[in-house]
Amino acid sequence: MKIVKNSKELERVVGQLKVQNRSIGFVPTMGALHQGHLSLMEYADKENDIVVVSIFVNPTQFNDKSDYAKYPRILESDIEKLNKVKCDIVFTPEESDMYPEEDKRQFDFGNLDKVMEGKHRPGHFRGVALIVSKLFEMVKPDRAYFGEKDFQQVAIIKHITKQLKFDVEIVSCPIIREEDGLAMSSRNMLLTKAQRENVSLISETLFEAKKIAKNSSVSETKDWVIRTINDNPFLKVEYFDIVDTETLETIKEWSQNVDKVGCIAVHVGNIRLIDNVRFYS
Ligand code: AMP
C-alpha cells in the first residue's frame, strides 16, 4: 500500500494510473476506521482495479467546534488496518493542502439540505460538498463508495455529482452494525461504558418500529420511536423523520407509493449519533 501525503504526489500517481487505463474505486473517510469503512473498500475492490482511500477530518463540515476537536484521530492504527485489506493508495493530506485558501463556493441542494441533518447542522453539507468535490478532482475516480449510514449524505453527493457533472458512479453500500445492532461509527469509541450499554436502544427501537408501523399511522410510529428512546435517561432524540428515499420529503401516509426510510439523530451526552432503517409497509 502506498501512503500519499500531499496532492502533488497524488496527481502524479493518479496520472500514471490513468495512462495505464486502470479503473479507480474511491472511499473517502475521516479515519478512525471500523468495519463499516472496510466494507466500502471490499465493494470498491470488487468493481475496480485500484482502491484509493482518503483519510481527512474535514473542518468545513463540522458546525460544532468541540465535535471537530474531539473527533478521533488515530492514523497509525488506521494504516495498520488498511495494510490488512485491499487498499492500494491511502491519501492523508494536510488541511493546508485541501484548503490552500478559503473556498467560498456555495451549492444548491434543492430540498435535500433543508431537512434532518441539514436543518440541524447548518453548513454541514456545504462542507461535505466542498471536500468531496475537491477529492473527486484530485483522485479522478471511476466509482466512489459511500455508506447508507449517512443516508442524506448519499443523496446530497448524488445530487452534486450530477450538478457539477463529475463522471463518477456513486455507489451506496449497506450499514454495518455491531452485534447488538448499533450502527458502527467512529464516534462510538467516544462513548463511556454506561453510554455504550444504552445506545443499542436506538437501533432496537428502529427495528421494532417496523413492526409497530403495521398497525399504526406514520405519526403514531414516529411518536412511539421518539418516546421510547427519550424514556432512556442517557438518550435525547434530536429528530426522527420518515421520508421519501429520493426527495427526503416527509411521508404522511404509509399508502404513499415511494420507498421510505426512517432517519434519526440522538444525543448521548455530548456525542451525537445517527442511524436509519427502511420501512416497507
Ligand atoms: P466517515 O469516516 O464517518 O466520514 O465515513 C466514511 C464513509 O464510511 C461514509 O461514506 C460513511 O457513510 C461510511 N460509513 C460510516 N459508518 C458506516 C457503517 N456503519 N456502515 C457502512 N458505512 C459506513
Side-chain angles (χ1 to χ4, degrees):
M1 182 178 72
K2 202 176 181 62
I3 302 175
V4 175
K5 294 186 177 164
N6 62 71
S7 57
K8 266 253 144 357
E9 198 193 344
L10 184 71
E11 200 180 324
R12 193 181 59 74
V13 174
V14 167
Q16 283 174 351
L17 294 170
K18 291 285 159 190
V19 170
Q20 295 162 4
N21 237 337
R22 313 257 256 158
S23 61
I24 299 177
F26 177 44
V27 181
T29 82
M30 298 205 297
L33 301 178
H34 50 67
Q35 196 52 46
H37 297 114
L38 303 183
S39 72
L40 303 182
M41 294 161 207
E42 285 167 24
Y43 287 111
D45 178 35
K46 284 194 191 120
E47 298 178 328
N48 303 277
D49 299 323
I50 297 289
V51 177
V52 178
V53 173
S54 65
I55 297 182
F56 179 66
V57 183
N58 173 35
T60 61
Q61 73 186 68
F62 286 82
N63 56 317
D64 173 351
K65 281 206 172 81
S66 77
D67 186 27
Y68 176 64
K70 66 173 188 269
Y71 199 86
R73 293 162 172 87
I74 45 171
L75 188 58
E76 262 180 45
S77 88
D78 285 345
I79 303 275
E80 269 175 41
K81 284 182 189 159
L82 291 177
N83 268 321
K84 293 186 191 135
V85 297
K86 174 71 163 73
C87 169
D88 300 288
I89 296 165
V90 55
F91 178 47
T92 60
E94 298 290 331
E95 186 179 335
S96 56
D97 200 359
M98 297 312 291
Y99 296 102
E101 59 214 20
E102 197 187 344
D103 188 334
K104 297 211 170 87
R105 278 179 298 159
Q106 297 291 337
F107 300 86
D108 175 11
F109 303 115
N111 176 58
L112 298 177
D113 71 330
K114 310 284 185 296
V115 297
M116 303 192 295
E117 291 300 282
K119 185 168 162 191
H120 290 89
R121 300 182 69 188
H124 168 65
F125 286 123
R126 176 176 173 267
V128 169
L130 287 177
I131 195 66
V132 169
S133 58
K134 282 168 185 281
L135 287 168
F136 279 5
E137 273 159 25
M138 292 177 181
V139 177
K140 301 183 174 53
D142 296 275
R143 297 177 194 83
Y145 296 78
F146 295 88
E148 284 186 7
K149 150 110 182 335
D150 299 273
F151 195 90
Q152 192 170 5
Q153 173 171 278
V154 179
I156 292 269
I157 286 167
K158 284 184 177 162
H159 182 84
I160 60 157
T161 300
K162 229 190 213 166
Q163 199 171 46
L164 302 180
K165 299 190 169 63
F166 282 112
D167 188 14
V168 182
E169 182 188 337
I170 305 303
V171 184
S172 67
C173 306
I175 303 177
I176 305 296
R177 298 179 178 281
E178 301 286 354
E179 254 174 43
D180 64 356
L182 175 67
M184 288 192 184
S185 163
S186 303
R187 290 186 174 89
N188 292 350
M189 68 171 67
L190 303 172
L191 298 167
T192 64
K193 191 160 176 283
Q195 286 172 333
R196 177 63 189 85
E197 281 163 8
N198 283 272
V199 289
S200 55
L201 181 66
I202 301 169
S203 55
E204 268 167 34
T205 306
L206 293 183
F207 297 145
E208 190 61 25
K210 286 156 70 94
K211 298 181 197 155
I212 300 272
K214 295 201 188 323
N215 299 306
S216 316
S217 68
V218 177
S219 74
E220 284 165 350
T221 306
K222 290 203 284 196
D223 288 348
W224 180 83
V225 166
I226 294 168
R227 222 176 329 111
T228 305
I229 295 179
N230 280 343
D231 274 350
N232 181 300
F234 285 86
L235 310 178
K236 179 94 190 68
V237 175
E238 185 173 76
Y239 67 80
F240 173 62
D241 203 3
I242 300 175
V243 301
D244 178 330
T245 57
E246 293 285 319
T247 62
L248 305 185
E249 279 166 17
T250 297
I251 297 290
K252 296 199 170 63
E253 305 287 342
W254 293 124
S255 58
Q256 283 172 248
N257 189 20
V258 292
D259 290 334
K260 305 170 186 76
V261 60
C263 299
I264 196 163
V266 179
H267 288 278
V268 193
N270 56 9
I271 299 157
R272 187 176 177 281
L273 301 179
I274 58 171
D275 197 352
N276 64 79
V277 72
R278 295 293 186 102
F279 282 83
Y280 296 104
S281 49

